[in-house]
Each structure stands twice: as structure tokens, then as C-alpha cells.
């Protein structure tokens, strides 16, 4: 078997991933980083050119197109007759640049499941997938294990459209005036400022049954903009977050009971809710969330299903490479002098979080740093930033929740033990979305070591090198342009 190309495209945050016949992840990247269109649903021509070097001849598509179009018909949406088959979609998305020996497609939720399980260290696990919607599935629970070195998946339970936790959260996102399918993380940040006393009202108004996650209405088209209009938006956000946590934990509890496993793989767009993720350790001992759990990550999942075995997962740095040594000394000098500096070096991160290769970094100790960085990124002033810290020091400064001994991909919030000392990286509730970095020799690790040795401060503020509504910086030209526009040095 030659190199395998995984494709996620046509709906939200298109991506490509390439796996070798030895199970190495050769490349994985978001189309938006090339096209400069946030959440671009289509594969950009520049991304196509980048993967030609791998010469893939086997292709895997992340969902069943005909099933998706059937669901669209059921939902009263317009059916795309030019997207009924994978060949039609590949022709539309990739053109005639490749000759395929083999073409496959897989169930949307199974692609999510494989992206998680086959990158995990587990030999067996319960797999939970929660998103807005796949073809028909909105929630699924699987048992996964390796039998004769081949990944096997058994569907244990599922919920179908229109009963969807993801659609509920997106509907609330729209209700408070944010952009659904994009600004859900802002709603999550808003929740810390509100009163969550309206959880019962939400459950009474929208839910038939929490055990089966059955909603009273189809929220695909949103909710009445006057719903609970007497509520402050922050109170609605807080109540919606707590209600969503009740729904998620009901699913996770069911997964534990049905699977009997102590290992959890959690995937789908809802897995990006790092506030809810703090509760997962109440049900499972060991937790793995692949750093790109949404639809983009399913490009890797579809390819993994063809490969069939455990992948050689090493890092989330899988995208476009800016060659050269990580600029530790330049960054250290800039941070000591100006408190803020950008970095664009090495392979780009696969997933929505900047992990040190496409980051805006800052000293977390200053009282004005958070406002300064929010102004640069053109974000709301209430929004928090994440700290990046050496793994072995993390427990001295943060209370990581059970199930998370480390947090290398910023997937969970933790209480900060000394929030007064690091005001730029704590939210109003004194929590932080922590990134821990092990002794992996990475550039961000070496920078943290130098920063700690020089200042005695164990952490840096780390946020993505972009501004609100725009994709992260991808290449050298992006970095230079960003630096010129926002007057912040970016080192490569």
C-alpha cells in the first residue's frame, strides 16, 4: 500500500492528512491556513500543491456523501446532486491532479472515532463522539480495541438528528449574538461571568429525556431570538454551559457503563469545550482527546481506517514547515524587552490551538498584558488567555482535574493556585486553559527553560498568531505581513 490521503471537505474547516504505509503521519493541515478564509469548507489549491510531494494513490473521505444528502433532504435543506458520490466530491475539491488506485469513504462518526483511538496509546477504550451532526449521528459511543493488531470498532449507542448537543450549543451561541459554528468558544468564556441558575429552565424548555438526549425541538435553524430575553447574555451563557455539561456527563457515564473500560477517547467538535472536559475524570481514569477532534481531524481518521493499525503519533506539529532553528534567543530578548513577541517556526499545528510554533507569546505577570494582547488580536476584553508551562512544574501552579496528569494540547481548564501573580492567564473564575510541555526538545520547551532560568517565571502567555476572525499565520509571508500590520516582531 502506498501513502494514504485523508480528506475532510465540503462543510466546515476542510483539511488533508497523509499517512505512510508504516503508519507515520507525514502531514496534516487545515485549508483555511492556505486560503486565508476562516473555517474554509473547501480544499485550497495551495494545500493541494503541498501534498503532491507525498504522491498518495489511496484516498479516504471522512463521511458517506449519499447519506448526508439524504439527511439534508429529510431536514428540508437543498440537496446537492453534484455531491452524492466521493468521486464527484474529489473531482470538485482536488481536480484532476491525482490518479487514485483506491477510493474509500467512511461513516462520519467512525472517522472521528478512528482519529482518536488510533492516535491514542490505548489498546482498548470507550470512544465517545459528540458533535453538531454527521450524516445522521449526533452522538455515538463505541468500544474500540486491537485484535490481531487491527483496530476494531463496535457501535454501542447513538443518537440521531435532530437531537444534538452540538446544535443546542450553536443555537445558544447565535441567541447571544455570536456566530454559530465559529464562536462557541467565546460563549464558553462568557459563562464564567454569569449566573447559572437557569439550567432547570433550559432543561424544561428543550429536553424530553436526559438519558437518551432527546430534545423537544429541532435546533438546527437556531432558536427564537426572544427566548429568555429577560436574561443577561452572560447568565444565559453560564446556564447553557452548565446544562451542556449535564448532557455531556450523561453521555460519558453511559459510555463507562456500556463499555466497562477505564480509558476514554473523546472526539467531535464538542470535545473542544475545555471547561466541560474538566469533568471527564469523574468517569474515566485515562483520557485522550486528539488535538484536532473536530471535522478537520477526521481527514486523519478516514486515512487511519484504511491503515487499520495504531498510528505512530508523536506530535501535533504536522502542517506547513517554516525551516530553520527555533528562535529561542531572539524571542527571549524580545520578551524581556517588550513583554510580547510572535513566533512562526517549524511545522504548523494541526488543530485549533497554537502550541508554540504559530504563537503570540507574552509575559503573564503584567496587569495590562491581557488587555494589550486582546487589543492586538481585536478580541472582546473579557476573553482569557492560556499559559504554557513546563510539564514538571505544572502541578506547582495549577490544579489539573482528575484524568489529566498533563495537558499538552490545551484541552482542559485548571484552577490557578496563585492567580494574583499571573493575571494575564487567569479567567475571572481563576481558571486557566493550561498547556504543559514535556522534555521533548521542542522549540517552545527550550524557550520556557531559558525564560524560567532568566526570570524565575515558570510560564508564558500563549495564544494563536492571528486576529479574531482570521486563520493562524501559516508561512513566512504571513508572518512578515502580520508583523508589519500589527507592529509586533515575529521571529522565524
Amino acid at each position: 500500500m502506498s501513502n494514504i490521503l485523508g480528506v475532510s471537505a465540503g462543510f466546515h474547516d476542510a483539511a488533508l492528512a497523509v499517512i505512510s504505509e508504516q503508519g507515520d503521519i507525514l502531514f496534516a493541515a487545515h485549508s483555511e491556513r492556505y486560503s486565508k478564509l476562516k473555517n474554509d469548507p473547501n480544499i485550497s489549491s495551495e494545500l493541494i500543491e503541498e501534498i503532491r510531494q507525498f504522491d498518495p494513490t489511496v484516498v479516504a473521505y471522512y463521511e458517506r456523501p449519499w447519506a448526508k444528502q439524504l439527511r439534508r433532504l429529510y431536514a428540508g435543506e437543498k440537496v446537492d446532486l453534484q455531491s452524492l458520490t466521493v468521486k464527484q466530491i474529489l473531482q470538485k475539491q482536488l481536480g484532476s491532479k491525482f490518479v487514485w488506485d483506491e477510493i474509500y469513504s467512511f461513516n462520519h462518526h467512525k472517522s472521528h472515532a478512528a482519529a482518536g483511538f488510533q492516535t491514542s496509546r490505548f489498546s482498548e477504550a470507550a470512544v465517545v463522539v459528540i458533535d453538531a451532526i454527521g450524516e445522521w449521528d449526533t452522538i455515538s459511543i463505541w468500544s474500540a480495541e486491537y485484535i490481531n493488531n487491527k483496530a476494531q470498532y463496535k457501535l454501542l449507542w447513538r443518537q440521531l438528528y435532530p437531537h444534538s448537543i452540538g446544535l443546542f450549543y450553536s443555537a445558544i451561541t447565535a441567541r447571544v449574538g455570536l456566530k454559530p459554528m465559529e464562536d462557541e468558544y467565546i460563549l464558553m468564556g462568557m459563562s464564567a461571568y454569569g449566573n447559572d441558575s437557569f439550567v432547570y429552565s433550559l432543561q424544561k424548555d428543550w429536553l424530553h429525556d436526559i438519558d437518551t438526549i432527546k430534545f423537544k425541538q429541532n435546533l438546527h435553524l437556531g432558536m427564537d431570538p426572544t427566548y429568555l430575553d429577560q436574561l443577561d447574555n452572560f447568565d444565559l451563557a453560564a446556564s447553557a454551559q452548565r446544562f451542556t455539561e449535564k448532557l455531556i456527563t450523561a453521555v460519558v457515564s453511559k459510555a463507562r457503563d456500556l463499555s466497562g473500560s477505564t480509558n476514554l477517547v473523546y472526539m467531535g467538535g464538542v470535545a473542544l469545550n475545555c471547561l466541560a472536559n474538566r469533568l471527564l475524570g469523574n468517569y474515566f481514569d485515562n483520557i485522550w482527546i486528539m488535538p484536532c477532534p473536530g471535522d478537520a481531524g477526521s481527514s486523519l481518521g478516514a486515512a487511519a481506517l484504511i491503515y487499520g493499525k495504531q498510528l505512530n503519533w508523536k506530535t501535533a506539529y504536522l502542517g506547513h514547515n517554516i525551516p530553520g532553528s527555533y528562535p529561542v534567543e531572539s524571542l527571549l530578548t524580545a520578551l524581556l524587552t517588550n513583554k510580547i513577541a510572535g513566533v512562526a517556526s517549524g511545522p504548523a499545528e494541526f488543530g485549533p490551538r497554537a502550541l508554540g510554533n504559530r504563537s503570540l507569546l507574552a509575559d503573564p505577570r503584567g496587569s495590562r498584558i491581557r488587555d494589550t494582547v486582546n487589543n492586538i488580536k481585536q478580541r472582546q476584553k473579557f476573553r482569557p488567555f492560556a499559559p504554557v508551562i513546563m510539564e514538571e512544574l505544572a502541578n506547582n501552579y495549577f490544579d489539573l482535574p482528575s484524568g489529566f496528569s498533563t495537558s499538552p494540547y490545551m484541552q482542559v481548564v485548571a484552577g490557578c493556585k496563585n492567580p494574583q501573580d499571573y493575571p494575564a492567564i487567569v479567567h475571572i473564575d481563576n481558571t486557566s486553559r493550561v498547556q504543559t510541555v514535556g522534555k521533548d526538545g521542542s522549540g517552545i520547551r527550550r524557550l520556557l527553560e531559558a525564560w524560567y532560568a532568566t526570570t524565575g517565571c515558570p510560564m508564558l502567555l500563549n495564544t494563536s498568531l492571528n486576529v479574531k476572525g482570521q486563520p493562524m499565520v501559516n508561512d513566512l509571508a504571513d508572518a512578515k505581513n502580520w508583523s508589519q500590520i500589527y507592529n509586533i516582531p515575529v521571529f522565524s
Side-chain angles (χ1 to χ4, degrees), residues 20-32:
S20 76
E21 56 187 345
Q22 290 79 36
D24 295 317
I25 306 169
L26 302 177
F27 182 82
H30 303 254
S31 184
E32 68 169 24

Side-chain angles (χ1 to χ4, degrees), residues 100-147:
W100 308 112
D101 292 340
E102 300 171 75
I103 298 174
Y104 299 86
S105 68
F106 299 97
N107 169 272
H108 184 107
H109 271 219
K110 192 172 185 180
S111 293
H112 274 309
F117 180 62
Q118 287 172 241
T119 57
S120 77
R121 68 184 186 276
F122 304 138
S123 59
E124 58 79 27
V127 183
V128 171
V129 179
I130 307 177
D131 62 6
I133 185 172
E135 296 94 349
W136 289 88
D137 297 337
T138 61
I139 309 168
S140 60
I141 297 172
W142 310 71
S143 65
E145 61 180 329
Y146 291 102
I147 299 176

Side-chain angles (χ1 to χ4, degrees), residues 5 10-11 57 69 74 80 90 92 99 112 133 144 146 172 180 186 197 218 265 312 315 321 339 367 371 386 396 474:
L5 175 67
F11 174 61
T57 59
Q69 294 303 322
Y74 170 83
D80 184 358
L90 293 179
K92 183 188 302 183
V99 176
H112 274 309
I133 185 172
Y146 291 102
I172 293 287
I186 301 177
S197 59
N218 184 349
V265 172
N312 301 321
T315 177
N321 185 41
K339 307 298 185 185
S367 60
D371 286 348
N396 296 337
N474 194 44

Side-chain angles (χ1 to χ4, degrees), residues 146-270:
Y146 291 102
I147 299 176
N148 297 324
N149 204 31
K150 296 285 286 184
Q152 303 291 324
Y153 298 90
K154 181 181 179 182
L155 180 63
L156 301 178
W157 183 84
R158 66 178 181 170
Q159 185 50 276
L160 303 176
Y161 177 85
H163 306 288
S164 169
I165 296 172
L167 288 179
F168 167 78
Y169 207 81
S170 290
I172 293 287
T173 300
R175 161 62 185 80
V176 301
L178 298 171
K179 187 175 181 179
M181 302 301 292
E182 185 171 322
D183 288 346
E184 281 77 4
Y185 61 98
I186 301 177
L187 181 75
M188 180 177 62
M190 289 175 62
S191 69
Y193 289 84
N195 185 312
D196 64 3
S197 59
F198 288 84
V199 173
Y200 175 74
S201 294
L202 291 172
Q203 182 163 337
K204 176 175 62 70
D205 292 345
W206 295 107
L207 199 68
H208 273 305
D209 179 48
I210 196 166
D211 183 59
T212 57
I213 317 294
K214 284 192 173 181
F215 285 82
K216 293 180 179 179
Q217 295 181 40
N218 184 349
L219 288 164
H220 198 174
L221 298 178
M223 60 179 57
D224 188 328
T226 65
Y227 175 68
L228 290 181
D229 57 0
Q230 78 277 15
L231 274 191
D232 178 89
N233 280 343
F234 290 97
D235 291 343
L236 182 55
S239 298
Q241 175 67 29
R242 296 293 96 75
F243 177 48
T244 299
E245 291 171 4
K246 288 185 66 175
L247 298 173
I248 292 170
T249 54
V251 174
V252 172
S253 176
K254 184 188 293 289
R256 179 195 60 193
D257 294 343
L258 290 176
S259 70
S261 179
T262 59
N263 303 321
L264 173 67
V265 172
Y266 183 31
M267 295 293 290
V270 176

Side-chain angles (χ1 to χ4, degrees), residues 31 66 87 92 100 128 160 203 273 329 338 363 368 374 396:
S31 184
W66 63 268
K87 287 185 177 180
K92 183 188 302 183
W100 308 112
V128 171
L160 303 176
Q203 182 163 337
N273 192 312
E329 292 303 320
N338 301 317
D363 186 335
R368 299 181 180 177
N374 266 325
N396 296 337

Side-chain angles (χ1 to χ4, degrees), residues 75-101:
E77 298 178 88
K78 184 178 179 181
V79 173
D80 184 358
L81 297 178
Q82 302 306 310
S83 298
L84 289 174
T85 70
V86 175
K87 287 185 177 180
Q88 286 177 316
I89 292 170
L90 293 179
Q91 180 63 36
K92 183 188 302 183
Q93 294 288 341
L94 303 178
S96 56
K97 305 237 180 216
F98 302 94
V99 176
W100 308 112
D101 292 340

